[in-house]
């Protein structure tokens, strides 16, 4: 590992920068502390980004911040900043503070800093607390010599920030940090090693430390320009009444998800879903229901039937398997590339500690996420014209069937063969959706509520 050459930089004005960051942080889209009173921000890491010697006018840092809340809790966040005498036009809306004769601005999409991070990763270099690691992706030699040019934030994420580089690479910065290797990097490394071909190739990562543990700061992977996601493909087919296209794509998605599950089982192994594990799963489902009912009282009339479905999980005899799964799978997590569907974003729930995101689960959790996503798309799609044949199942149900058949064709077993567990997983997912919508999109809370009533045989 060859260290880059960096000129010594004067120390950061920590006190003033921390005050500026405390005012700036709560306004960021990815900030996970909304609704909690912020006492202050502490700068716990400031790793210099190694810039070329001819850029003496610019300094770059990867900052790790500790946000301390009035309730006694704390979270760690990441940002990349530049200090310069003037602000580039592209960064005009991202100024954090003016310190003496320098301006501090967020620079996750700054070509100069991204070019330096590319070099760090390709050369497996270190710079202070930063370490670049590279992976043997199919065209890693081209990545190692790529001259970073056009950089633009993807602009669709809530919890992270992804930057598209030259319509070829995607740099994902993890904003909320947890100790440990991020599952998005760990899983993609495993899929690359096992040759699943159903994930976008990962070229490497920028890693650091949080306390005594490693932390993943960013990953660089292949970008698929123009690749539509599953949500747009399915909603377009629904709106156009293209049922044949819908069923074909749903079947292909099922095969893709099954291939990913097989690769994950090979990479990380499986465990048996014993009766104690099933009892713990049922308890988790009941806990989620209790939490959701506090925010969504409309769940109260359904609570008895939901509890019965979750209790049925605890009564199962065991024998099924659990393994590493995606953990947050839905139509938006699949992209249709030239070679077929690929699965993206293996991070799991960003709010959870990493050990909780790596616990083995039934693959039916991912299947349930996909089945609910087809149903969501059907509920939200605009379908002009007359209604379809009432004697036929609705298009969403036929898409769900096609997905399960595709999964079975690849995996050898149909998810519906474990009907009580799959039914409970789908209901559990819909209960989570009611809580999410109540907190973030109240106008859509009726969508999962209506689905729950439908699945439970209520009007």
């Amino acid at each position: 590992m060859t260290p880059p050459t960096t000129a010594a930089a004067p120390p950061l004005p920590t006190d003033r920068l921390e005050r500026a960051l405390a005012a700036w942080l709560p306004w960021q889209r990815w900030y996970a502390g909304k609704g909690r009173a912020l006492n202050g921000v502490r700068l716990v890491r400031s790793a210099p980004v190694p810039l070329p010697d001819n850029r003496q006018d610019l300094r770059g840092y990867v900052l790790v911040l500790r946000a301390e809340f009035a309730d006694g809790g704390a979270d760690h966040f990441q940002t990349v900043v530049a200090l310069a005498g003037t602000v580039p036009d592209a960064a005009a809306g991202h100024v954090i503070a003016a310190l003496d004769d320098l301006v501090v601005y967020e620079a996750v999409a700054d070509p100069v800093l991204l070019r330096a991070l590319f070099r760090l990763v390709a050369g497996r270099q270190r710079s202070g607390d930063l370490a670049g690691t590279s992976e043997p992706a199919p065209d890693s030699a081209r990545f190692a010599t790529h001259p970073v040019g056009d950089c633009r934030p993807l602009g669709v994420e809530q919890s992270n920030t992804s930057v598209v580089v030259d319509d070829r690479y995607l740099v994902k910065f993890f904003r909320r940090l947890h100790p440990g290797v991020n599952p998005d990097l760990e899983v993609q490394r495993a899929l690359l090693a096992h040759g699943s071909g159903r994930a976008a190739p990962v070229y490497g990562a920028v890693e650091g430390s949080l306390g005594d543990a490693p932390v993943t700061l960013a990953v660089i992977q292949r970008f698929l320009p123009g690749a539509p996601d599953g949500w747009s493909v399915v909603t377009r087919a629904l709106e156009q009444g293209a049922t044949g296209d819908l069923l074909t794509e749903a079947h292909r998605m099922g095969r893709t998800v099954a291939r990913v599950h097989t690769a994950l089982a090979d990479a990380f192994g499986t465990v048996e879903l014993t009766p104690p594990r099933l009892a713990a799963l049922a308890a988790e489902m009941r806990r989620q229901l209790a939490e959701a009912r506090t925010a969504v009282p409309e769940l109260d009339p359904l609570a008895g039937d939901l509890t019965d479905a979750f209790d049925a999980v605890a009564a199962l005899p065991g024998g099924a398997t659990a393994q590493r799964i995606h953990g947050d799978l839905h139509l938006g997590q699949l992209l249709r590339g030239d070679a077929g569907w690929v699965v993206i974003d293996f991070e799991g729930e960003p709010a959870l500690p990493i050990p909780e995101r790596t616990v083995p689960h039934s693959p039916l959790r991912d299947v349930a996420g996909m089945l609910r996503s087809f149903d969501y798309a059907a509920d939200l799609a605009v379908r002009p014209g007359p209604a379809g044949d009432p004697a036929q199942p609705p298009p969403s149900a036929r898409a769900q069937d096609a997905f399960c058949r595709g999964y079975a064709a690849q995996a050898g077993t149909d998810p519906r063969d474990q009907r009580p567990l799959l039914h409970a997983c789908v209901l559990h997912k819909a209960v989570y959706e009611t809580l999410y919508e109540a907190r973030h999109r109240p106008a859509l809370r009726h969508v999962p509520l209506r689905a729950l009533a439908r699945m439970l045989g209520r009007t």
Side-chain angles (χ1 to χ4, degrees):
M1 187 178 290
T2 305
T5 302
T6 53
L12 289 170
T14 301
D15 290 344
R16 287 186 294 161
L17 185 56
E18 287 177 342
R19 290 194 295 271
L21 288 165
W24 171 83
L25 187 63
W27 295 96
Q28 305 315 301
R29 183 178 182 180
W30 42 263
Y31 175 63
K34 293 178 173 65
R36 303 172 72 184
L38 181 64
N39 273 355
V41 169
R42 262 198 322 115
L43 186 58
V44 297
R45 288 283 190 278
S46 58
V49 178
L51 301 181
D53 291 339
N54 64 348
R55 292 308 307 262
Q56 298 297 320
D57 59 320
L58 185 68
R59 291 156 56 192
Y61 295 89
V62 175
L63 305 182
V64 176
L65 319 174
R66 177 181 166 89
E68 299 177 339
F69 301 106
D71 59 16
D75 282 327
H76 289 91
F77 297 95
Q78 173 197 191
T79 185
V80 180
V81 301
L83 282 71
T86 58
V87 181
D89 291 342
H94 303 278
V95 172
I96 297 173
L99 303 175
D100 300 327
D101 57 343
L102 294 176
V103 179
V104 182
Y105 61 91
E106 190 178 50
V108 290
D110 188 294
V112 177
L113 270 68
L114 282 175
R115 196 172 298 125
L117 293 179
F118 267 57
R119 286 196 300 269
L120 198 77
V121 169
R124 299 184 179 184
Q125 298 174 338
R126 294 195 68 93
S127 176
D129 191 47
L130 299 182
T133 60
S134 61
E135 307 297 329
D139 57 347
S140 54
R142 179 174 179 177
F143 162 75
T145 59
H146 182 77
V148 173
D150 179 64
C151 304
R152 56 181 175 85
L154 198 56
V156 296
E157 294 173 298
Q158 295 285 350
S159 57
N160 299 311
T161 299
S162 289
V163 180
V164 178
V165 175
D166 297 323
D167 274 343
R168 183 169 184 84
Y169 302 104
L170 188 78
V171 186
K172 180 191 289 186
F173 293 93
F174 298 107
R175 294 300 200 161
R176 188 176 183 180
L177 301 178
H178 295 275
V181 178
N182 192 288
D184 201 20
L185 176 60
E186 182 190 27
V187 168
Q188 291 190 81
R189 279 174 172 164
L191 293 177
L192 182 64
H194 283 72
S196 81
R198 296 297 92 195
V202 59
Y203 296 96
V206 179
E207 300 182 83
S209 62
L210 194 56
D212 296 328
V215 66
T216 309
L217 300 168
V219 295
I220 304 177
Q221 61 191 89
R222 171 80 58 81
F223 178 65
L224 303 175
D229 64 16
W231 180 267
S232 62
V233 169
V234 168
T235 54
R236 186 181 303 114
L238 287 166
E239 291 172 353
Q240 295 176 352
T243 305
D245 293 344
L246 172 66
L247 302 186
T248 297
E249 298 298 350
H251 191 276
R252 290 170 176 166
M253 290 181 196
R255 294 189 71 109
T256 295
V257 172
R259 286 182 64 180
V260 168
H261 281 165
T262 299
L264 291 176
D266 290 343
F268 298 103
T270 63
V271 298
E272 182 185 351
L273 272 177
T274 60
R277 288 181 183 270
L278 289 165
L281 174 57
E284 179 192 341
M285 292 175 168
R286 290 191 295 267
R287 182 202 59 77
Q288 178 80 72
L289 174 60
E291 181 183 359
R293 288 177 68 184
T294 62
V296 190
E298 296 95 325
L299 285 170
D300 290 347
L302 306 175
D305 289 343
L306 289 167
T307 300
D308 289 345
F310 299 156
D311 287 345
V313 172
L316 292 173
T321 59
Q323 62 169 82
R324 287 290 294 273
I325 62 172
H326 184 283
D328 186 30
L329 194 60
H330 52 78
L331 285 167
Q333 306 285 38
L334 282 88
L335 298 179
R336 190 177 62 188
D338 294 338
W341 289 98
V342 297
V343 181
I344 61 172
D345 291 339
F346 291 89
E347 184 184 4
E349 172 51 60
L352 293 177
I354 286 176
E356 293 185 30
R357 294 187 241 168
T358 59
V359 171
H361 288 293
S362 168
L364 297 184
R365 283 199 169 192
D366 282 349
V367 172
M370 289 298 297
L371 299 184
R372 282 295 309 131
S373 200
F374 284 115
D375 212 20
Y376 238 95
D379 276 335
L380 297 182
V382 178
R383 296 183 297 278
D389 183 355
Q392 289 281 341
S396 59
R398 296 170 68 187
Q400 291 169 333
D401 172 71
F403 177 88
C404 289
R405 287 189 289 105
Y407 191 101
Q410 182 67 38
T413 57
D414 193 312
R416 294 168 294 189
D417 292 344
Q418 302 180 61
R419 192 166 296 277
L421 181 54
L422 179 60
H423 181 58
C425 286
V426 175
L427 292 173
H428 179 226
K429 180 67 175 178
V431 168
Y432 167 80
E433 291 165 357
T434 65
L435 183 60
Y436 179 89
E437 300 297 20
R439 289 174 172 171
H440 301 284
R441 302 186 298 182
L444 293 181
R445 63 196 288 170
H446 69 281
V447 175
L449 284 167
R450 186 167 57 193
L452 282 167
R454 188 166 59 241
M455 287 186 283
L456 294 171
R458 304 290 191 92
T459 57

